[in-house]
Amino acid sequence: MNIYSPIHSVRLEQLTAHNVQLDIKRDDLIHPFISGNKWRKLKYILQQAKQENKNVLVTFGGAYSNHLLATATAGAIFGLKTIGIVRGEPVNNDTLFLCKLHGMELQFVSRDAYRNKREIFQALFNKNKQAFFIDEGGAGAEGAKGCSEIIQELTENYNHIFCAAGTGTTIAGILNGLTFTKKHSQVHVIPVLKDSEYLKENINELLHKPITFHFHKQYHFGGYAKTNVSLLNFITHFTQQTGIMLDPIYTGKALFALFDLLQERFFNAEDKILFIHTGGLFGTLGMKERFAF
Ligand SMILES: *Cc1c(COP(=O)(O)O)cnc(C)c1O
């Protein structure tokens, strides 16, 4: 699995005024539909499936899940059958359309039943020796292993690294990557869910060695997939000034946090900051009516 993710420097007045450097790791460019970090997370998960001779990938997500779409696309590329268990009432939208276009079979389950994914897997695929369980969002140790390569690809040292967090798998990978490469950066986690205390434990469980990180829990904008005018304006402004698109669910919130801290003079002069663009741009299209134009 080839991953090409370049680094682009951003030039903006605010950054120059505070004398800091902002680089963006463009994982959003890895693939148009396999949202950057989902591709990294699937890398070792798919290797494991192959080793166990499983050729049916069964995974889970909401109706707008970047992970479902990533799994559907990866399945088509590698010749594996994919089954997506979708939370809630049967619906159709662009994400699910693209899942089906890539050959994914969808099954909708009630929100109640959805809570126990292992149970659903047991009930539906107990007799299917080919079926391989992939957790929602590609969460877990294999996923984190793939994400640690973000750090292994870096050729420069950074004072700060910023990344959005849902399950925390990507962040855990980044922290492990720093351990493996003996690099020292302050890592900034921006949870996109409102009640994010669970995340610290998720992250710590996946760490090879304990390592501290900044936890900025005040940038969830009301909760998962919630937005407001200032977030949408920030995304619009940033896209128009740089040509780099952000999504309102993950990357928009995380980069908003970075610029908010910049304004509060959190950084030192000449700091080098790396923002991990985890992708998810398809989510922007799912929210287009929220923008004021
Ligand atoms: C899924 C996703 C995340 C969250 O990654 P975790 O490893 O679950 O924390 C961040 N950004 C984007 C764009 C995503 O699709």
Side-chain angles (χ1 to χ4, degrees), residues 158-196:
Y158 291 92
N159 303 95
H160 302 275
I161 297 177
F162 278 75
C163 186
T167 65
T169 302
T170 306
I171 287 286
I174 289 169
L175 292 163
N176 286 338
L178 291 170
T179 301
F180 300 155
T181 56
K182 298 189 168 64
K183 284 190 165 117
H184 298 283
S185 302
Q186 295 184 44
V187 173
H188 298 263
V189 182
I190 298 92
V192 302
L193 284 91
K194 193 172 180 178
D195 301 310
S196 52

Side-chain angles (χ1 to χ4, degrees), residues 35 37-38 41 66 137 164-171 247 250-251 278-280:
S35 181
N37 69 337
K38 300 300 186 287
K41 288 200 265 189
N66 292 329
T167 65
T169 302
T170 306
I171 287 286
D247 77 295
Y250 295 102
T251 54
T278 40

Side-chain angles (χ1 to χ4, degrees), residues 60 85 109 113-114 116-125:
F60 301 81
I85 310 293
V109 301
Y114 187 85
N116 200 335
K117 299 176 189 71
R118 284 279 178 190
E119 214 164 80
I120 296 174
F121 183 77
Q122 282 296 326
L124 294 175
F125 303 100

Side-chain angles (χ1 to χ4, degrees), residues 41-67:
K41 288 200 265 189
L42 281 170
K43 179 173 175 178
Y44 291 102
I45 293 173
L46 293 186
Q47 245 179 45
Q48 198 190 347
K50 195 173 169 198
Q51 271 160 16
E52 295 178 18
N53 282 319
K54 311 270 188 187
N55 55 23
V56 181
L57 307 176
V58 181
T59 196
F60 301 81
Y64 290 92
S65 166
N66 292 329
H67 167 70

